[in-house]
Amino acid sequence: ARAENREESVKVQAEGRLRTAEQALSDATKSRDKLQTALIQRIHFMEEQTDIKIRQASTQAKAFEADRRREALETKRRVDAEKNRADRLLNEKRQVEDMVQSLQLELEKIKTQLK
């Protein structure tokens, strides 16, 4: 009877340790699953943040490029306007020089006729 009680006691203790080990395994599995879920969520969050930053940088780069293009076009317009103005002034100068030369010739003719 004593041997049976002892055997029963060992069996009860073993079953208790088994239940404790199973519970610990279950808790560890749940904990691992929670950590894995949290890690996956964090990775997705970081990916989304990275995508947002990439889109923002792309938008800024496009805006910067558009500004540079606008500035270049404005500079070209100003240069073209100055060139046109310079050409116009040069033409006016030539016309005035031609007029002066024509008037000088006319003056010479008149002087010659007066002699």
Side-chain angles (χ1 to χ4, degrees), residues 54-72:
I54 289 170
R55 282 194 299 277
Q56 287 173 340
S58 176
T59 300
Q60 289 173 346
K62 286 176 186 172
F64 180 80
E65 182 60 32
D67 288 347
R68 293 304 141 271
R69 233 180 279 121
R70 249 190 315 280
E71 288 174 6

Side-chain angles (χ1 to χ4, degrees), residues 4 7 11-12 22 44 46 60 66-67 77-79 86 97 100-101 103 105 110 112 114:
E4 273 182 36
E7 196 174 301
K11 185 177 176 186
V12 168
E22 286 173 342
H44 287 315
M46 302 220 17
Q60 289 173 346
D67 288 347
R77 187 195 64 73
R78 281 196 308 267
V79 167
E97 286 173 346
V100 166
Q101 189 177 12
L103 289 171
L105 287 173
I110 293 172
T112 307
L114 289 176

Side-chain angles (χ1 to χ4, degrees), residues 1-35:
R2 247 184 170 174
E4 273 182 36
N5 282 345
R6 189 174 208 29
E7 196 174 301
E8 188 63 30
S9 174
V10 168
K11 185 177 176 186
V12 168
Q13 286 177 357
E15 287 172 354
R17 286 196 301 271
L18 177 60
R19 278 192 299 279
T20 300
E22 286 173 342
Q23 186 61 48
L25 176 60
S26 174
D27 291 348
T29 301
K30 287 176 187 173
S31 180
R32 181 205 62 207
D33 291 348
K34 283 182 184 177
L35 287 172

Side-chain angles (χ1 to χ4, degrees), residues 99-114:
M99 211 183 308
V100 166
Q101 189 177 12
S102 176
L103 289 171
Q104 284 176 339
L105 287 173
E106 193 68 33
L107 183 60
E108 287 298 319
K109 280 183 190 176
I110 293 172
K111 282 182 181 179
T112 307
Q113 290 174 356
L114 289 176

